[in-house]
Amino acid sequence: MKSVIDIPDLSVEEIDELIKTAGDIALHPEKYAKSCEGKILATLFYEPSTRTRLSFTAAMMELGGNVLGFSEPGSSSAVKGESVADTARVVSCYADIIAMRSPKEGAAFVAAKNATIPVINTGDGGHAHPTQTLGDLFTIYREKGRFNNLTVGFCGDLKYGRTVHSLIEAMSRYPDVRFVLISPDALKLPTFVKYEILARHNVLYTETDSLEEALPSLDILYMTRIQKERFTDPAEYERLKDSYILTVEKLASAKSDLCIMHPLPRVNEISVKVDKDPRACYFKQVENGKYMRMALILKLLASAKENPETEDLLAGRSVLINEMKCTNPRCITATEQELDHVFRVVDAEAGICRCVYCEKKMKADSGMMKRVVRR
Ligand code: CP
């Protein structure tokens, strides 16, 4: 493991190891205070962030390392047209590890392909946000002591919520996990998550638009913000923005050991009065995210030291190169035109492929499928 772009890059065993390390860091921070002395983390943030950027900064500082970077594209040479690939090559000369957030889906993949140091995806558009999921998993482990035999409710924006998709992907690997998907019709979980994750892992799930009905059955409630920035129609956002508001009154019907989570930032979907409820775990989740990021930095720096060669992110994959163009306007290939259009084959018989950058599903014709390359 050299870079982390999405949750499937990490095996269950690797996640268990990270949780163990994070737990030890939380208990004995002094043991780790010099672990990254002389090491530099570069935080390249092309999109706003409070938690992720500052928790990575705090994580590296608490490990004894240093941090450099930028927090908006306007203060980088991105405004002059510098590509993500060139930025990653350049920053590899200054730092030992990169944490990158971008609105372009696949930006972290391109960075990892071109950097000579590990890259951590800290959010690429609506695609993935794996370190949020790692913090979420650590929180569930600390609160519940297990990942199996849990009923997990996801509430709010299940369509655009990348943290929801990633946590579903991660939790689906454990036995006896049930999901309750609570959303308005317009923000339901995308079908690709249902078919490619839930169906593949044989996970039981129900869908409802009623938080009140779902609450009594839940062990974990994962609230989400309706994400204004992902809507193209402002009127649609106005219609949906107040779909769910968790209040003290509603919580009366919930289990006494319910764990209430939220990736934050919140707008109004959890009343501030809920913060005093011992079941509110969302600020603990923030702290847990920092410990998990410390564990991840340690793991990736150790892996890079053991195996300094550049990682081939497509190794072992069957791919199509420049046979068709990704049609996702948010994909990094839409704006960085020098990039090859690469698709990995997910169903050779049906010609179903996915863009390696943004995971957009596309269908190749039989002629294209004859030119599949094995990496
Ligand atoms: N949860 C999260 O990613 O928060 P930020 O956008 O503030 O980093």
Side-chain angles (χ1 to χ4, degrees), residues 57 60 90 160 177 183 221 234 267 276 280 294 312 326 345 368:
T57 303
M60 194 52 159
V90 168
Y160 298 110
V177 173
S183 72
L221 171 61
V267 182
K276 290 199 189 83
M294 290 169 83
D312 181 357
C326 181
V345 178
M368 292 172 189

Short mmCIF file of all heavy atoms in Angstrom, two decimals, residues 57 60 90 160 177 183 221 234 267 276 280 294 312 326 345 368:
data_model
loop_
_atom_site.label_atom_id
_atom_site.label_comp_id
_atom_site.label_asym_id
_atom_site.label_seq_id
_atom_site.Cartn_x
_atom_site.Cartn_y
_atom_site.Cartn_z
N THR A 57 -3.10 18.39 9.47
CA THR A 57 -2.03 19.26 9.98
C THR A 57 -1.72 18.91 11.44
O THR A 57 -0.56 18.69 11.81
CB THR A 57 -2.46 20.74 9.87
OG1 THR A 57 -2.79 21.01 8.50
CG2 THR A 57 -1.37 21.69 10.32
N MET A 60 0.08 15.46 11.72
CA MET A 60 1.52 15.46 11.41
C MET A 60 2.30 16.19 12.50
O MET A 60 3.39 15.76 12.89
CB MET A 60 1.74 16.11 10.03
CG MET A 60 3.13 15.88 9.47
SD MET A 60 3.57 14.12 9.48
CE MET A 60 4.85 14.07 8.25
N VAL A 90 6.08 18.05 -8.69
CA VAL A 90 6.82 19.15 -8.05
C VAL A 90 6.81 18.98 -6.53
O VAL A 90 7.86 19.04 -5.87
CB VAL A 90 6.19 20.51 -8.46
CG1 VAL A 90 6.72 21.65 -7.61
CG2 VAL A 90 6.45 20.78 -9.94
N TYR A 160 -25.51 12.35 -3.16
CA TYR A 160 -24.22 13.01 -3.38
C TYR A 160 -23.22 12.74 -2.24
O TYR A 160 -22.06 13.10 -2.36
CB TYR A 160 -24.41 14.52 -3.50
CG TYR A 160 -25.27 14.93 -4.67
CD1 TYR A 160 -26.55 15.45 -4.47
CD2 TYR A 160 -24.82 14.80 -5.98
CE1 TYR A 160 -27.35 15.84 -5.54
CE2 TYR A 160 -25.62 15.17 -7.05
CZ TYR A 160 -26.87 15.70 -6.82
OH TYR A 160 -27.66 16.08 -7.88
N VAL A 177 -24.55 -6.93 9.05
CA VAL A 177 -24.77 -5.47 9.09
C VAL A 177 -26.01 -5.19 8.26
O VAL A 177 -26.17 -5.72 7.17
CB VAL A 177 -23.55 -4.71 8.52
CG1 VAL A 177 -23.85 -3.23 8.38
CG2 VAL A 177 -22.34 -4.92 9.43
N SER A 183 -34.09 8.89 3.16
CA SER A 183 -33.85 10.06 2.30
C SER A 183 -35.13 10.44 1.57
O SER A 183 -36.01 9.60 1.40
CB SER A 183 -32.76 9.76 1.26
OG SER A 183 -33.28 8.88 0.28
N LEU A 221 -26.91 6.07 13.90
CA LEU A 221 -27.61 6.99 12.99
C LEU A 221 -26.56 7.92 12.40
O LEU A 221 -25.90 8.68 13.13
CB LEU A 221 -28.67 7.81 13.71
CG LEU A 221 -29.30 8.94 12.89
CD1 LEU A 221 -30.01 8.41 11.65
CD2 LEU A 221 -30.28 9.75 13.74
N PRO A 234 -30.92 25.56 -7.94
CA PRO A 234 -31.06 26.11 -6.58
C PRO A 234 -32.46 25.88 -6.00
O PRO A 234 -32.61 25.71 -4.78
CB PRO A 234 -30.78 27.61 -6.76
CG PRO A 234 -30.12 27.75 -8.08
CD PRO A 234 -30.53 26.59 -8.92
N VAL A 267 -25.49 21.88 9.01
CA VAL A 267 -26.17 23.16 8.78
C VAL A 267 -27.26 23.24 9.86
O VAL A 267 -27.05 23.85 10.90
CB VAL A 267 -26.72 23.27 7.34
CG1 VAL A 267 -27.38 24.63 7.13
CG2 VAL A 267 -25.58 23.09 6.34
N LYS A 276 -25.88 17.89 23.69
CA LYS A 276 -25.70 17.53 25.11
C LYS A 276 -26.09 16.08 25.38
O LYS A 276 -25.81 15.54 26.45
CB LYS A 276 -26.56 18.45 25.99
CG LYS A 276 -26.08 19.88 26.04
CD LYS A 276 -26.68 20.58 27.27
CE LYS A 276 -26.40 22.05 27.26
NZ LYS A 276 -27.35 22.83 26.45
N ALA A 280 -24.75 11.66 21.31
CA ALA A 280 -24.17 12.47 20.23
C ALA A 280 -22.67 12.20 20.14
O ALA A 280 -21.93 12.48 21.09
CB ALA A 280 -24.42 13.95 20.50
N MET A 294 -3.32 9.98 11.86
CA MET A 294 -1.95 9.77 12.36
C MET A 294 -1.51 8.34 12.04
O MET A 294 -0.39 8.12 11.56
CB MET A 294 -1.89 10.01 13.88
CG MET A 294 -2.06 11.47 14.26
SD MET A 294 -2.33 11.72 16.03
CE MET A 294 -0.65 11.71 16.64
N ASP A 312 2.32 1.03 -9.41
CA ASP A 312 1.48 0.98 -10.61
C ASP A 312 0.04 0.76 -10.14
O ASP A 312 -0.34 -0.34 -9.73
CB ASP A 312 1.92 -0.15 -11.54
CG ASP A 312 1.06 -0.18 -12.81
OD1 ASP A 312 0.12 0.63 -12.92
OD2 ASP A 312 1.34 -1.02 -13.68
N CYS A 326 -14.50 9.57 -21.14
CA CYS A 326 -15.39 9.63 -19.98
C CYS A 326 -16.36 10.81 -20.17
O CYS A 326 -15.94 11.91 -20.53
CB CYS A 326 -14.58 9.82 -18.70
SG CYS A 326 -15.62 9.87 -17.24
N VAL A 345 -12.09 -2.81 -16.92
CA VAL A 345 -13.20 -3.66 -17.34
C VAL A 345 -13.80 -4.30 -16.09
O VAL A 345 -13.09 -4.93 -15.31
CB VAL A 345 -12.70 -4.75 -18.31
CG1 VAL A 345 -13.84 -5.67 -18.72
CG2 VAL A 345 -12.05 -4.10 -19.53
N MET A 368 -13.95 -2.48 -29.29
CA MET A 368 -13.09 -1.94 -28.22
C MET A 368 -12.63 -3.07 -27.31
O MET A 368 -11.46 -3.11 -26.89
CB MET A 368 -13.86 -0.91 -27.38
CG MET A 368 -14.21 0.36 -28.09
SD MET A 368 -15.30 1.34 -27.00
CE MET A 368 -15.81 2.62 -28.10
#
